[in-house]
Amino acid sequence: MNAEMLDELKKLAARAYAPYSHFPVAVLIRDRNGELARGVNVENASYGLTSCAERNAVFSFVASGFEKPAELFLYTETDSFTAPCGACRQVLMEFDPELSVTMINQSGEAKRVLISELVPLPFGPKDLDDVR
Ligand code: THU
């Protein structure tokens, strides 16, 4: 994790809207050309409507017209590494099972996995072909 990227993630986490959990999450998604999309978690007084940083970043990435997501960086202000929730894993898996997911803690330590490692036995676009 380079210092510039960590700085960007920390600044992004400060923009999270997390008044209920006090658990800010920042996500950067990069395509193969180096284009970056950003996401933070956005909570709601109706708690169940909270939207995670990962999905917000994916939606921004797609709306920006970037190429397929290649790398995702997930930062939380914790000592441990935070992995994407189950719903976000499903959404991230949509584009590429080889998507690189790097979890970063507040010290800048990083742990990298592939999204396919987080989603064994996935349901995906190919499963829909069976009915066509
Ligand atoms: N959250 C994320 O944004 N991403 C994760 O990977 C885990 C959880 C958010 C949702 C909620 O705003 C807060 O973290 C606590 O669950």
Side-chain angles (χ1 to χ4, degrees):
M1 171 62 21
N2 68 48
E4 202 179 312
M5 190 71 118
L6 183 60
D7 189 52
E8 163 95 33
L9 283 162
K10 287 186 171 182
K11 283 185 183 145
L12 189 56
R15 291 190 211 147
Y17 181 71
Y20 308 109
S21 72
H22 306 287
F23 190 81
V25 183
V27 168
L28 294 171
I29 302 180
R30 197 152 59 183
D31 74 4
R32 267 174 291 173
N33 303 320
E35 297 281 10
L36 273 182
R38 293 161 181 78
V40 295
N41 50 332
V42 179
E43 299 184 346
N44 191 272
S46 177
Y47 298 160
L49 298 182
T50 289
S51 189
C52 290
E54 293 90 328
R55 273 174 288 161
N56 291 338
V58 168
F59 303 149
S60 168
F61 185 95
V62 172
S64 299
F66 298 152
E67 274 190 16
K68 196 165 75 162
E71 291 181 292
L72 180 144
F73 301 89
L74 165 52
Y75 172 80
T76 49
E77 293 170 342
T78 53
D79 292 330
S80 58
F81 298 114
T82 300
C85 80
C88 289
R89 291 178 195 204
Q90 174 68 23
V91 171
L92 296 172
M93 186 70 183
E94 176 77 13
F95 303 98
D96 185 359
E98 301 286 300
L99 174 73
S100 168
V101 175
T102 303
M103 296 161 273
I104 301 132
N105 69 9
Q106 61 187 348
S107 308
E109 294 161 337
K111 179 183 167 74
R112 180 179 172 270
V113 294
L114 297 182
I115 188 66
S116 56
E117 297 176 75
L118 300 178
V119 188
L121 200 63
F123 174 80
K126 285 203 180 74
D127 292 294
L128 298 174
D129 290 344
D130 281 354
V131 294
R132 280 184 198 138

